[in-house]
């Protein structure tokens, strides 16, 4: 087995909004999630349909030390705050959606203000010409850490060349903040029902990483945003680090049954 590399802390957000769909000729409520297609030249998960997210970085740790730059972090460890701050930053970088409040009033940032901040700073942030801390401080903003609900915790299997220790969070998308891909790390973005995304993965329309598929299948059981958030609040998150085995037909992944993904052993296709 190849030497195991250390896993890098990372975060991702499943941004949700309420939608509707016709299934078998009947209309029904259906939650929708914001997803992006990663650039084909990106080293990790190139071309895949994913949720916005990425690694926790040193700048996120600097914000952890500035309690005036976030709210709703009471009772969280410094590590937990770092994961949430990274999740919100990465989501802003990749989609332009900003989960923040105005300092002093506590008023959530609306779509107009989020758009102004994104237009002014998003490109520079992605090019590392400005820090997220500076954007927050200069615009009198506080990140809304309490809008994120822990949903899953996945660690890349041992033996993989690039490994991540990733927390998945659910969050209701702020009203009218529709999101748009950055054209750099991602080349397309869509609001899609978990059901449609999974069907697209099965048909070949989408390339879905295994953890993404399992979390979409679980999310598809919830009819709307409030139900999804309520379910997540009541969950006990079980850490998943799949154990991979090669078989005659491909690969097999084993995960803890108690993690709540409707199974323990999954066939994941051909090796390659």
């Amino acid at each position: 087995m190849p030497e195991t590399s250390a896993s890098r802390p990372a975060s991702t957000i499943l941004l949700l909004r309420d939608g509707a769909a016709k299934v078998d000729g009947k209309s029904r409520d259906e939650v929708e999630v914001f997803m992006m297609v990663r650039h084909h030249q990106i080293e990790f998960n190139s071309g895949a349909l994913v949720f916005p997210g990425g690694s926790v970085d040193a700048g996120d740790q600097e914000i952890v030390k500035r309690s005036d730059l976030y709210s709703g972090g009471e009772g969280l460890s410094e590590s937990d705050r770092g994961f949430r701050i990274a999740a919100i930053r990465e989501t802003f970088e990749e989609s332009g959606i900003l989960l923040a409040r105005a300092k002093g009033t506590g008023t959530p940032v609306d779509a107009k203000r989020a758009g102004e901040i994104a237009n002014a700073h998003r490109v520079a942030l992605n090019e590392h010409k400005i820090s997220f801390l500076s954007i927050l401080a200069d615009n009198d903003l506080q990140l809304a850490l309490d809008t994120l609900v822990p949903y899953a915790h996945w660690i890349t299997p041992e033996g993989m060349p690039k490994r991540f220790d990733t927390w998945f969070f659910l969050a209701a998308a702020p009203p009218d903040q529709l999101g748009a891909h950055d054209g750099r790390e991602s080349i397309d973005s869509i609001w899609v029902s978990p059901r449609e995304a999974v069907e697209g993965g099965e048909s070949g329309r989408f390339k879905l990483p295994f953890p993404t598929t399992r979390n979409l299948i679980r999310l598809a059981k919830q009819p709307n945003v409030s139900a999804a958030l309520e379910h997540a609040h009541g969950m006990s998150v079980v850490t998943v680090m799949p154990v991979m085995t090669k078989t005659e037909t491909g690969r097999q992944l084993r995960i803890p049954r108690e993690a709540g993904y409707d199974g323990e052993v999954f066939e994941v296709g051909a090796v390659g």
Side-chain angles (χ1 to χ4, degrees):
M1 175 179 285
E3 185 177 341
T4 295
S5 60
S7 55
R8 295 169 56 182
S11 302
T12 187
I13 298 183
L14 284 67
L15 285 165
L16 309 180
R17 72 179 187 185
D18 288 324
K22 277 200 170 184
V23 180
D24 297 328
K26 297 180 180 178
S27 295
R28 75 174 192 190
D29 292 338
E30 201 167 38
V31 69
E32 293 182 333
V33 61
F34 183 81
M35 302 189 73
M36 306 173 308
V37 178
R38 288 180 65 81
H39 197 289
H40 290 275
Q41 294 180 345
I42 293 291
E43 182 181 358
F44 188 73
N45 277 338
S46 63
L49 186 69
V50 297
F51 313 117
S55 297
V56 180
D57 67 20
D60 301 320
Q61 302 301 339
E62 290 300 314
I63 295 174
V64 168
K65 299 171 186 174
R66 290 280 305 270
S67 59
D68 60 311
L69 297 181
Y70 54 85
S71 61
E74 301 81 5
L76 297 176
S77 68
E78 285 193 4
S79 174
D80 288 341
R81 282 179 239 166
F83 278 110
R84 293 186 188 219
I85 289 166
I88 295 175
R89 173 187 54 77
E90 285 281 352
T91 296
F92 176 69
E93 286 181 3
E94 296 187 345
S95 73
I97 293 175
L98 183 58
L99 297 167
R101 301 182 177 103
K103 188 184 294 185
T105 66
T107 304
V109 171
D110 61 20
K112 180 176 181 294
R113 181 69 177 129
E116 291 170 349
I117 295 167
N119 289 338
H121 303 296
R122 190 176 164 201
V123 171
L125 181 62
N126 280 325
E127 294 178 351
H128 308 292
K129 295 177 180 176
I130 190 174
S131 70
F132 196 42
L133 187 154
S134 296
I135 294 172
L136 299 175
D138 292 347
N139 289 277
D140 291 323
L141 298 175
Q142 291 184 317
L143 300 180
L145 302 192
D146 52 323
T147 60
L148 275 58
V149 184
Y151 192 60
H153 182 211
W154 286 68
I155 302 175
T156 308
E158 292 183 345
M160 301 295 285
K162 187 169 259 193
R163 302 182 64 233
F164 294 92
D165 177 341
T166 305
W167 275 93
F168 292 71
F169 298 96
L170 294 191
D176 298 323
Q177 289 198 42
L178 301 180
H181 53 283
D182 60 12
R184 293 163 57 90
E185 290 193 12
S186 56
I187 57 172
D188 197 8
S189 57
I190 57 172
W191 283 96
V192 62
S193 74
R195 173 191 56 79
E196 184 181 354
V198 171
E199 289 174 355
E202 292 172 347
S203 70
R205 176 186 172 196
F206 301 131
K207 175 184 174 182
L208 294 175
F210 178 72
T212 304
T213 299
R214 300 321 309 174
N215 281 297
L216 285 167
I217 290 172
R218 182 160 72 178
L219 183 61
K221 298 176 183 178
Q222 305 304 321
N224 52 50
V225 174
S226 61
L229 294 176
E230 183 178 353
H231 175 252
H233 274 296
M235 285 172 43
S236 177
V237 175
V238 174
T239 298
V240 176
M241 186 171 73
V243 176
M244 185 169 62
T245 304
K246 290 185 180 180
T247 67
E248 291 183 358
T249 56
R251 292 173 298 168
Q252 190 179 78
L253 293 180
R254 181 180 297 273
I255 67 174
R257 183 175 295 276
E258 60 270 25
Y261 291 105
D262 300 326
E264 185 175 6
V265 179
F266 299 86
E267 301 291 336
V268 291
V271 176

